[in-house]
């Protein structure tokens, strides 16, 4: 029997939902690792909707669960139904939807609030000593819910212009967590908390390097099961 992994999405599309390449990479690497996967998303309205062609707000409303179903090929459940007892690990891909829909980081930064079902899911896996994987901006969820944990969002300086959101590392440190600098093809394992993170699109890097970095995160999560 394969390791049972829940994947939590935040919509569909980098600017207002889950980053599609990251979500796909997580699913591919989990498949390669022989995991049994179920996909979840909160049944809530998106904070906003972005026209991805123009990069501008769209005057419409969309639902996070309904949009995430596009990535899940329709096979998805409400996050409220996720039971940590039925899984060995949980993984959160990134995308602005994490910072807009799963929490309010995009608006409030380190003073953000985390969606109640996201927070309870993280706490349930953590309490059961089950691994949690996060990539791109999603490590801020762990930083907010688990003060003192170790995560990476890449580098804490904009090295060669590749890490334009490096200030996120400082905000994580201000929350009382330890930011570990890592390259895009690496992940960091907080062994004490069983939290595995990688920077993904927080780094301006070729897609295959981001794919490989997510692969290291998924592999480490499966090793911790």
């Amino acid at each position: 029997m394969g390791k049972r992994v829940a994947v939590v999405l935040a919509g569909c599309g980098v600017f207002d939902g889950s980053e599609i390449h990251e979500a796909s990479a997580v699913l591919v690497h989990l498949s390669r690792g022989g995991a049994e996967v179920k996909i979840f998303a909160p049944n809530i309205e998106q904070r906003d909707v972005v026209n991805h062609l123009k990069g501008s707000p769209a005057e419409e409303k969309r639902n996070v669960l309904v949009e995430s179903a596009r990535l899940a090929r329709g096979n998805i459940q409400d996050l409220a139904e996720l039971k940590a007892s039925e899984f060995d690990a949980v993984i959160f891909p990134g995308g602005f939807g994490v910072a807009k829909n799963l929490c309010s980081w995009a608006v409030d930064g380190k003073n953000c609030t985390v969606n109640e079902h996201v927070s309870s899911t993280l706490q349930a896996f953590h309490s059961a000593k089950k691994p949690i994987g996060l990539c791109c901006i999603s490590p801020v969820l762990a930083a907010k819910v688990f003060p003192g944990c170790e995560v990476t969002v890449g580098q804490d300086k904009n090295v060669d212009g590749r890490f334009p959101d490096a200030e996120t590392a400082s905000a994580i440190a201000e929350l009382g967590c330890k930011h570990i600098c890592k390259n895009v093809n690496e992940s960091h394992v907080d062994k004490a908390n069983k939290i595995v993170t990688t920077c993904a699109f927080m780094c301006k890097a070729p897609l295959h390097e981001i794919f490989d970095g997510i692969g290291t995160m998924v592999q480490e999560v499966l090793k911790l099961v």
Side-chain angles (χ1 to χ4, degrees):
M1 183 177 178
K3 294 168 182 178
R4 304 163 301 170
V5 181
V7 174
V8 180
L9 300 180
C12 181
V14 58
F15 298 127
D16 57 15
S18 289
E19 211 295 321
I20 293 171
H21 297 295
E22 291 183 19
S24 178
V26 166
L27 296 172
V28 169
H29 286 295
L30 284 171
S31 175
R32 182 169 286 147
E36 295 182 6
V37 177
K38 287 190 178 179
I39 304 174
F40 297 84
N43 186 12
I44 57 174
E45 187 176 297
Q46 291 185 185
R47 177 176 289 273
D48 62 10
V49 178
V50 176
N51 180 321
H52 279 58
L53 179 62
K54 297 179 179 178
S56 58
E59 295 300 320
E60 58 181 285
K61 296 183 184 299
R62 296 193 182 187
N63 177 280
V64 174
L65 179 59
V66 172
E67 291 302 297
S68 297
R70 295 174 181 270
L71 287 169
R73 297 172 61 85
N75 189 8
I76 194 168
Q77 293 175 259
D78 186 342
L79 181 60
E81 299 173 7
L82 194 162
K83 295 180 175 63
S85 61
E86 297 177 356
F87 294 90
D88 300 308
V90 64
I91 294 179
F92 290 76
F96 278 101
V98 172
K100 292 179 175 181
N101 305 323
L102 303 192
C103 70
S104 62
W105 187 277
V107 176
D108 302 317
K110 63 181 173 53
N111 298 316
C112 72
T113 55
V114 179
N115 171 273
E116 60 176 320
H117 294 303
V118 172
S119 180
S120 63
T121 294
L122 288 166
Q123 290 171 339
F125 277 85
H126 187 260
S127 296
K129 294 180 168 51
K130 294 180 176 181
I132 298 167
L134 310 111
C135 62
C136 194
I137 190 62
S138 64
V140 301
L141 297 173
K144 191 67 182 179
V145 176
F146 307 119
C149 71
E150 298 177 356
V151 299
T152 188
V153 289
Q155 300 291 323
D156 56 10
K157 296 181 178 59
N158 189 9
V159 181
D160 298 325
R162 300 179 75 215
F163 294 90
D165 301 303
E167 71 278 359
T168 303
S170 299
I172 286 170
E174 289 173 16
L175 286 170
C177 297
K178 185 174 183 180
H179 180 266
I180 310 297
C181 291
K182 291 285 183 178
N183 291 321
V184 68
N185 60 343
E186 300 175 311
S187 56
H188 176 69
V189 181
D190 177 347
K191 293 181 180 178
N193 290 294
K194 288 194 171 183
I195 295 171
V196 188
T197 51
T198 189
C199 68
F201 276 101
M202 295 292 276
C203 176
K204 289 185 175 180
L207 182 57
H208 71 277
E209 292 185 11
I210 291 164
F211 182 89
D212 291 346
I214 291 172
T216 68
M217 180 268 285
V218 170
Q219 290 165 18
E220 293 295 340
V221 165
L222 294 178
K223 282 181 189 175
L224 288 173
V225 171

